[in-house]
């Protein structure tokens, strides 16, 4: 809480909107080491988790700066150390408390907010602690992890079409406004318009940076979403360090950057979350920005993965975009210069997205160097071994015309729970599993005199459920991910039927146990 507050109409908030400042920190000069130190550190016991918002660490990026050949110092403000895991905890808590001070909300009221997720999480966290109801509207493109966290915090979530323009009736902003009109005793937090969005960073985040850097800062690089973080920090830093360059970061497909010629095309889909918009929020003061850098998904996600792997910073995708832009901007700075950038949130929100190799591959985001490194690591792990090196037994197969009871007996005799299914010519058509046969028979969907063709799973080589071809020449390294989602695979050989058609003949069945056994035998 504030030690004291001051009423003000300064330009910390765009449009000189009335607001209050808070002296959140008391610092003194450490004359021995010539630096500022905090006189009131976080107490050993917090009154609530909301007291663990702010005072996030500023971390030097050693390995990435060196690898990129930077001569200057590169620092990252790790905002994911806030209680709710992102920089937005600061504004959610601040705006909510100011609304309480102004008597705009009371216990039992409903708080509504349109968000890309992080403000919603920060707000839902505060509402959970304070006892307010919470409704969050957010676009469908936002990660499922964010939705799961919101629901765990007790918030109701409403998804809206990603492609809806900000002023469309279907947008998350318009839906929030309709809910506010329909629900008595409700309030929209208003991160896009509230003066306390930038003021929270002017009073807090900027002070922390300046104190840590002893008022010596040459460049600030910040991503722009609502613009509150960028505006609030930049205004305070410009007051103390007038020569500091302010660099804004905006994804291609967003229209926040200036000059307007940078925003071509003016719209488009991008996967980095929590940054960029198709309108200019009231909380963004673009005049404070000296230079804009446009980013794209692939280098953003690649850099985020590097931050995790090389610096141990468990950050999100927009953090990668900010650091990539910071590296590019910092190339012009020499020794003795200092650059600070913001890491807005954590990898918690993106476990199934850029952290996942499969997702990155599906979107063609894996960096070529990273692909080669991973492939090299996998090959070294398996010593270049292929399926044929496993010396697998010949596959036990069954024809489609075989009675189901005979198939069950064959599986029992061999200790199998599935068998490859072939035609009379030996061509692979699918598999039959013990579990599926049992389910179909016990529920009466097939009778005991049914044929294997009636209960088999058919391979659909021309559909979205594409048959995964494994041959004796397939490297074992390529099967690691396959066995994360499959218990067995069928090794096949090709049979040319004519110029346009190819059939598959089953020769072996391979399991994860076969790979593990091979790996252990090589180590011994």
């Amino acid at each position: 809480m504030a030690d004291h507050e001051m009423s003000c109409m300064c330009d910390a908030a765009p449009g000189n909107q009335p607001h209050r400042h808070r002296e959140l920190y008391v610092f003194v000069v450490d004359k021995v080491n010539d630096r500022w130190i905090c006189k009131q550190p976080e107490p050993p016991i917090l009154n609530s988790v909301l007291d663990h918002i702010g005072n996030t660490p500023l971390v030097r990026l050693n390995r990435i700066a060196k690898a990129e050949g930077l001569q200057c110092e590169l620092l990252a403000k790790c905002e994911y150390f806030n209680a709710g895991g992102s920089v937005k905890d600061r504004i959610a808590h601040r705006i909510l408390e100011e609304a309480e001070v102004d008597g705009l909300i009371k216990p039992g009221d409903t708080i509504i907010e349109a968000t890309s997720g992080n403000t919603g999480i920060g707000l839902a966290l505060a509402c959970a602690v304070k006892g307010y109801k919470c409704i969050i509207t957010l676009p469908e493109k936002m990660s499922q992890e964010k939705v799961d966290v919101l629901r765990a915090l007790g918030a109701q979530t409403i998804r809206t079409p990603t492609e809806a323009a900000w002023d469309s009736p279907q947008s998350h902003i318009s839906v929030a406004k309709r809910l506010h009109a329909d629900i008595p005793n409700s309030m929209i937090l208003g991160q896009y318009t509230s003066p306390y969005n930038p003021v929270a960073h002017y009073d807090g985040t900027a002070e922390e940076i300046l104190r840590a850097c002893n008022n010596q800062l040459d460049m600030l690089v910040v991503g722009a979403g609502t613009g509150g973080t960028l505006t609030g920090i930049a205004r305070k830093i410009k007051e103390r360090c007038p020569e500091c360059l302010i660099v804004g970061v905006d994804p291609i497909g967003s229209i926040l950057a200036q000059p307007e010629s940078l925003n071509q095309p003016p719209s488009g889909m991008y996967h980095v979350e929590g940054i960029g918009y198709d309108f200019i929020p009231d909380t963004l003061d673009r005049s404070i920005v000296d230079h804009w850098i446009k980013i794209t998904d692939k280098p953003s996600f690649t850099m985020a993965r590097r931050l995790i792997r090389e610096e141990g910073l468990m950050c999100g995708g927009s953090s990668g975009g900010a650091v990539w832009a910071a590296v590019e901007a910092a190339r012009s700075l020499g020794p003795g210069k200092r650059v600070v950038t913001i890491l807005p949130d954590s990898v918690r929100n993106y476990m199934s997205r850029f952290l996942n190799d499969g997702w990155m591959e599906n979107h063609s985001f894996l960096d070529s160097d990273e692909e080669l490194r991973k492939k090299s690591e996998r090959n070294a792990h398996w010593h270049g071994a292929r399926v044929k090196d496993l010396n697998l037994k010949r596959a036990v197969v069954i024809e489609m015309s075989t009675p189901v009871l005979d198939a069950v007996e064959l599986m029992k005799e061999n200790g199998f729970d599935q068998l490859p299914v072939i035609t009379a010519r030996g061509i692979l058509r699918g598999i039959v599993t013990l579990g599926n046969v049992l389910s179909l028979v016990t529920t009466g969907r097939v009778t005991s005199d049914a044929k294997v063709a009636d209960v088999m799973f058919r391979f659909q080589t021309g559909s979205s459920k594409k048959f995964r071809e494994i041959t004796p020449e397939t490297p074992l390294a390529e099967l690691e991910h396959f066995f994360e989602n499959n218990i067995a695979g069928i090794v096949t050989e090709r049979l040319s039927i004519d110029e346009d058609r190819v059939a598959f003949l089953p020769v072996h069945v391979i399991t994860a146990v076969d790979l593990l056994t091979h790996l252990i035998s090589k180590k011994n």
Side-chain angles (χ1 to χ4, degrees):
M1 278 300 289
D3 290 323
H4 72 273
E5 301 179 354
M6 300 166 284
S7 296
C8 182
M9 293 185 67
C10 75
D11 63 358
N16 294 330
Q17 299 177 72
H19 56 274
R20 290 177 291 273
H21 285 287
R22 295 183 178 184
E23 293 183 351
L24 300 175
Y25 312 103
V26 177
F27 291 88
V28 296
V29 176
D30 175 4
K31 294 183 178 179
V32 175
N33 297 305
D34 189 27
R35 64 186 178 93
W36 291 86
I37 59 172
C38 184
K39 190 177 180 181
Q40 294 181 342
E42 186 174 275
I45 299 177
L46 304 178
N47 188 49
S48 80
V49 74
L50 300 179
D51 291 335
H52 189 55
I53 294 175
N55 286 312
T56 55
L58 191 61
V59 177
R60 185 174 292 110
L61 303 185
N62 296 297
R63 296 185 62 192
I64 287 178
K66 182 178 180 180
E68 295 295 332
L70 298 185
Q71 300 181 61
C72 63
E73 182 181 40
L74 180 59
L75 306 176
K77 182 80 165 154
C78 300
E79 286 297 292
Y80 56 86
F81 280 97
N82 284 307
S86 87
V87 67
K88 296 294 188 161
D89 293 351
R90 295 178 184 262
I91 70 166
H93 185 212
R94 181 66 180 273
I95 299 174
L96 195 62
E97 286 205 331
E98 296 294 347
E100 290 175 330
V101 170
D102 291 334
L104 299 177
I105 54 175
K106 61 183 183 301
D109 283 1
T110 300
I111 312 300
I112 303 169
E113 183 64 5
T115 171
S116 60
N118 281 325
T119 302
I121 292 172
L123 179 59
L125 181 79
C127 287
V129 173
K130 292 174 174 287
Y132 296 110
K133 299 170 189 174
C134 184
I135 301 175
I136 301 299
T137 63
L138 71 169
E140 290 174 339
K141 91 164 189 176
M142 303 311 164
S143 71
Q144 186 61 40
E145 288 90 338
K146 288 181 179 177
V147 175
D148 292 339
V149 172
L150 284 165
R151 290 173 178 168
L153 287 167
Q156 179 183 349
T157 60
I158 298 174
R159 309 295 290 271
T160 61
T162 297
E163 61 274 12
W166 71 275
D167 55 354
S168 162
Q170 287 77 42
S171 75
H172 64 309
I173 295 174
S174 298
V175 170
K177 290 178 179 178
R178 286 204 305 275
L179 289 169
H180 175 46
D182 294 340
I183 299 174
N185 301 316
S186 65
M187 171 196 171
I188 291 181
L189 188 76
Q191 62 171 324
Y192 302 102
T193 57
S194 173
Y196 292 108
N197 181 344
V199 167
H201 296 293
Y202 181 92
D203 288 348
T205 320
E207 282 290 345
E208 294 170 24
I209 292 170
L210 288 163
R211 302 306 186 186
C213 295
N214 202 25
N215 287 329
Q216 296 177 0
L217 183 60
D218 301 288
M219 181 183 288
L220 173 73
V221 183
V222 184
T226 66
T229 306
L230 173 58
T231 300
I233 298 176
R235 281 182 166 167
K236 175 61 72 70
I237 286 178
K238 278 290 191 181
E239 291 175 8
R240 302 271 188 87
C241 307
E243 301 304 314
C244 180
L245 289 172
I246 307 299
V247 179
V249 182
D250 188 42
I252 290 179
S254 167
I255 65 165
L256 302 185
Q258 289 181 315
E260 302 301 332
S261 58
L262 290 175
N263 301 320
Q264 299 298 328
S267 63
M269 176 68 177
Y270 52 90
H271 291 275
V272 175
E273 298 182 27
I275 185 173
Y277 275 108
D278 59 350
F279 70 102
I280 310 300
D282 294 345
T283 45
L284 172 61
D285 178 10
R286 297 192 291 177
S287 68
I288 200 77
V289 180
D290 297 304
H291 177 63
W292 287 90
I293 292 180
K294 301 290 281 191
I295 61 168
T296 56
D297 289 329
K298 185 172 180 176
S300 299
F301 292 136
T302 299
M303 182 59 78
R305 287 164 70 106
R306 286 185 63 190
L307 285 163
I308 295 171
R309 186 176 68 249
E310 298 176 31
E311 303 286 357
L313 299 177
M314 307 298 287
C315 60
S318 63
S319 300
V323 172
W324 181 86
V327 167
E328 295 305 304
R331 294 190 190 282
S332 61
L333 300 183
K337 300 296 184 179
R338 175 177 286 153
V339 178
V340 170
T341 189
I342 307 296
L343 308 187
D345 69 357
S346 82
V347 74
R348 175 199 66 193
N349 292 336
Y350 314 101
M351 303 295 282
S352 63
R353 297 208 170 183
F354 80 87
L355 198 64
N356 182 280
D357 286 348
W359 187 88
M360 291 285 285
E361 289 174 359
N362 290 340
H363 291 84
S364 301
F365 290 154
L366 268 187
D367 182 72
S368 57
D369 291 339
E370 187 173 8
E371 285 186 277
L372 290 173
R373 179 184 64 79
K374 286 183 174 293
K375 188 172 183 179
S376 176
E377 288 176 354
R378 288 197 297 265
N379 287 336
H381 185 62
W382 293 102
H383 306 286
R386 300 176 182 272
V387 169
K388 65 182 180 182
D389 298 319
L390 299 179
N391 298 317
L392 299 170
K393 294 180 181 179
R394 194 76 184 180
V396 177
V397 298
I398 195 163
E399 288 191 21
M400 296 173 66
S401 58
T402 305
V404 165
L405 294 181
D406 290 351
V408 171
E409 194 62 34
L410 184 59
M411 284 188 272
K412 287 171 59 180
E413 288 176 2
N414 289 276
F416 300 153
D417 61 1
Q418 59 184 290
L419 290 171
V421 180
I422 59 172
T423 65
R425 295 178 57 193
I427 297 172
L428 181 65
R429 282 291 180 261
I431 61 170
V432 59
T433 69
L434 197 59
N436 193 50
V437 171
L438 181 62
S439 174
L440 293 174
V441 172
T442 56
T443 57
R445 284 177 285 173
V446 299
T447 60
S448 58
D449 60 350
K451 305 297 184 184
V452 168
D454 300 320
V455 298
M456 64 183 282
F457 292 105
R458 296 175 183 270
F459 290 137
Q460 302 174 48
T461 56
S463 73
S464 58
K465 297 180 179 179
K466 198 167 184 180
F467 169 67
R468 170 63 162 94
E469 183 180 2
I470 303 173
T471 74
E473 296 298 326
T474 299
L476 298 186
E478 294 183 8
L479 297 179
E480 282 191 62
H481 291 309
F482 176 80
F483 284 113
E484 290 177 3
N485 300 304
N486 299 275
I487 60 173
I490 300 173
V491 182
T492 59
E493 292 178 346
R494 290 191 171 206
L495 173 67
S496 296
I497 298 176
D498 53 40
E499 289 184 359
D500 301 318
R501 293 186 298 164
V502 174
F504 297 94
L505 306 178
V507 290
H508 308 292
V509 172
I510 183 171
T511 68
V513 173
D514 295 317
L515 268 66
L516 182 59
T517 301
H518 175 79
L519 197 61
I520 293 173
S521 67
K522 290 300 179 183
K523 288 187 176 181
N524 292 337

